[in-house]
Structures are given as C-alpha cells and as structure tokens.
Amino acid sequence: MQVAVIGLGAMGMGAALSCLRAGLSVTGCDFSEAARNSFAEAGGQVAARAEAIAPGTEAVLLLVVNAAQTEAALFGPAGCAPRLAPGAVIVASATMGPDDARRLAMQAEAAGFLYLDAPVSGGAAKAATGEMTVMASGSAGAFAKARPVLEAVATKVWELGEAPGIGATVKVVHQLLAGVHIAVAAEAMALGIRAGADPQKLYDVVTSAAGNSWMFENRMARVLTGDEAPRSAVDIFVKDLGLVAEMARGLNHPVPLASQAQQLFTAASAMGQGRVDDGFVIRVWQALTGIQLPGDKPG
C-alpha cells in the first residue's frame, strides 16, 4: 500500500517509521530537511511539499498542527489531493474543532476520497513504537481502507461512529483533561517547593498515593531534572485549550477550569516558554514567587 505521512514532527516521524516497519511503502513529507534526511536514512521516500508525494497514494496520514495546515496540505495550491488515487483515504489526525473536521470531510468526499476524523494520543514515545490511541469517526469504508495504516501506528483504535466531528469532539474533551491535569500538577509542585518540601520526596509521595495522575507523574519527572525538550510544547495547549473554549462557547457550556488553565499556558508562552515542554508551565509560578526549580542550575 502506498502511504504518505505529512508532518514528520515528534509524532509524525514515529508514525511514518511504524508504517515502514509494517511493510507499507511510505513517503514522509515535511518542510524540515533534517526530518526528511532522517526518514530517508530509515528507508522511506521523502517529499518537501505535499504536492510531491508519490502519485497514486492510497492513504495519507496528516499529523500537522491544526485544521488550517491540514486543509493546506490536502487542498491548497501545493496540496496533495491531485496525487491521491481515486477513493484514497484521508486520515486527518491534527487536533481541531468538530466544525473544521466536518468541513474537511465534506471537501474530501466531494473530491471522491474517503475521510477519517482521527485524532490521536500517546505522544512521541507511543508514536515511535506504533502504540498510539486513535479516536476516529468515519464510514465503514474509510475504516476498512485505512486499516493497514491504523494497525501500523496504533494499538487502540476507537471507532466512535460514522459522522465526522465525533473524533474531534472526543479529542477536544480529552485535551481539556490533559491541559487541566498538567496545569494543576505544576501548581501542586510549585506550592510544595514554595512551602519547603523536598521536590523529589514530594514527587515520590504523590506518585504512590491517590492524588497522582499520569500527567503529574510524567511531566513533573521532567521538571525534577530540568528536561525542557518538548515532547508536547506549552503552545500546543494554548491552542488546544482554545479549541475547548471555542467548542464550549458554541454550546453555551461553561468550562472555568479549562479557561483558567489556558490562561496559565498563555502566560508561560508570553514569558518566552511556548516551545518548551508543557510541564514547564510551572515557570509561571516561578516568575510569581521566585521558587527555585530542582532542575535549574543555581545562579
């Protein structure tokens, strides 16, 4: 099966390599020359622009940032739609609002393609091992056509219904939880440090007790060592919690905790921390209170 993976970032590279390991013929597409070179060294075909993917591509997996990038990669002036085989399946995995997912599905279907509204979770580590979770909606035909790709990149594929937008809705709700959990994990760690608790012992206690969360355990481990490398960056949650607010506004539904968390991520971004690991939203509290983070060098 001829597959294209558009977006060779933290998750896209892992997904593309997983497709290669599964025996698929894969073109990896990214503006970054370094990313293209890395994928080429692994045995994949590469393209700098979506319009240059292999002709007759039967499935395209898009792991870009948002709906606008997804639309440009598919239907823009340099988009890949003319290179897709008739009846090809589009697996749209960027986090976006449900209205955008429905609109893109309509464009794809009008052009004669199948469409899966298929956001993902799992981060770079799960993408690298082909163990992502996919929360998808689309027709039975779209799921069937995309099955080789889904089996290559994920260990759990949630089939949420036929209507586009359901997958996006579930992912937005998921991101509400993820963003709030990261923000409160940082708040708790910052409070403990300010009160004089040993950060490592605080971490050990929380991760062995009922107050733990996966986000606390994962993100605060990086804060303890000062590991700012962005598996998921602060700016991702500025965007994703904005999608939460947008969806909630359309439903006249209050989301006060998500809104407060978005303001914290926005503050971190305004401080110049937008591209660091999202757990370092804790630097908002550091700026407010002067606490010393355990992974920072003195002075």
Side-chain angles (χ1 to χ4, degrees):
M1 185 180 203
Q2 183 68 50
V3 175
V5 177
I6 298 180
L8 297 176
M11 296 183 75
M13 180 64 79
L17 292 172
S18 294
C19 287
L20 272 184
R21 287 194 301 271
L24 303 175
S25 178
V26 187
T27 301
C29 177
D30 201 284
F31 291 131
S32 165
E33 184 178 1
R36 296 196 307 272
N37 288 343
S38 178
F39 188 61
E41 289 171 4
Q45 307 166 65
V46 294
R49 302 173 71 85
E51 64 182 347
I53 67 171
T57 292
E58 300 165 83
V60 56
L61 172 63
L62 296 110
L63 281 159
V64 293
V65 172
N66 53 28
Q69 288 189 6
T70 301
E71 184 170 17
L74 289 169
F75 304 116
C80 68
R83 309 286 276 186
L84 301 182
V89 63
I90 294 166
V91 183
S93 294
T95 301
M96 65 181 75
D99 287 344
D100 282 325
R102 286 187 281 266
R103 179 176 55 81
L104 288 171
M106 288 178 64
Q107 286 181 258
E109 289 163 8
F113 304 126
L114 299 167
Y115 186 93
L116 276 187
D117 167 23
V120 297
S121 182
K126 294 293 187 182
T129 56
E131 296 179 299
M132 293 193 295
T133 294
V134 179
M135 46 205 89
S137 59
S139 68
F143 275 106
K145 184 80 171 183
R147 191 66 57 194
V149 174
L150 298 174
E151 289 179 350
V153 303
T155 52
K156 183 62 180 179
V157 179
W158 290 97
E159 298 189 18
L160 301 172
E162 293 195 2
I166 301 174
T169 295
V170 171
K171 179 60 187 290
V172 169
V173 172
H174 175 275
Q175 293 305 88
L176 183 161
L177 289 165
V180 169
H181 286 178
I182 294 167
V184 77
E187 182 175 289
M189 179 62 78
L191 177 62
I193 292 171
R194 182 88 189 278
D198 177 270
Q200 183 64 59
K201 290 181 179 177
L202 173 62
Y203 177 86
D204 293 342
V205 169
V206 171
T207 55
S208 70
N212 191 34
S213 69
W214 190 91
M215 286 299 191
F216 182 94
E217 187 166 349
N218 184 266
R219 289 342 194 239
M220 292 306 103
R222 298 174 196 166
V223 169
L224 289 174
T225 61
D227 181 6
E228 293 186 340
R231 286 74 163 183
S232 172
V234 163
D235 279 344
I236 294 294
F237 277 97
V238 175
K239 171 185 75 76
D240 287 0
L241 290 170
L243 292 174
V244 173
E246 179 183 335
M247 188 172 84
R249 190 164 48 247
L251 296 167
N252 195 29
H253 185 93
V255 284
L257 298 181
S259 298
Q260 184 60 49
Q262 189 198 22
Q263 289 301 303
L264 292 166
F265 284 104
T266 300
S269 183
M271 291 165 51
Q273 301 295 306
R275 296 188 176 183
V276 304
D277 192 78
D278 50 32
F280 284 85
V281 69
I282 197 172
R283 293 209 185 278
V284 174
W285 286 275
Q286 183 181 39
L288 291 171
T289 66
I291 58 173
Q292 177 74 38
L293 296 184
D296 288 349
K297 295 178 181 178

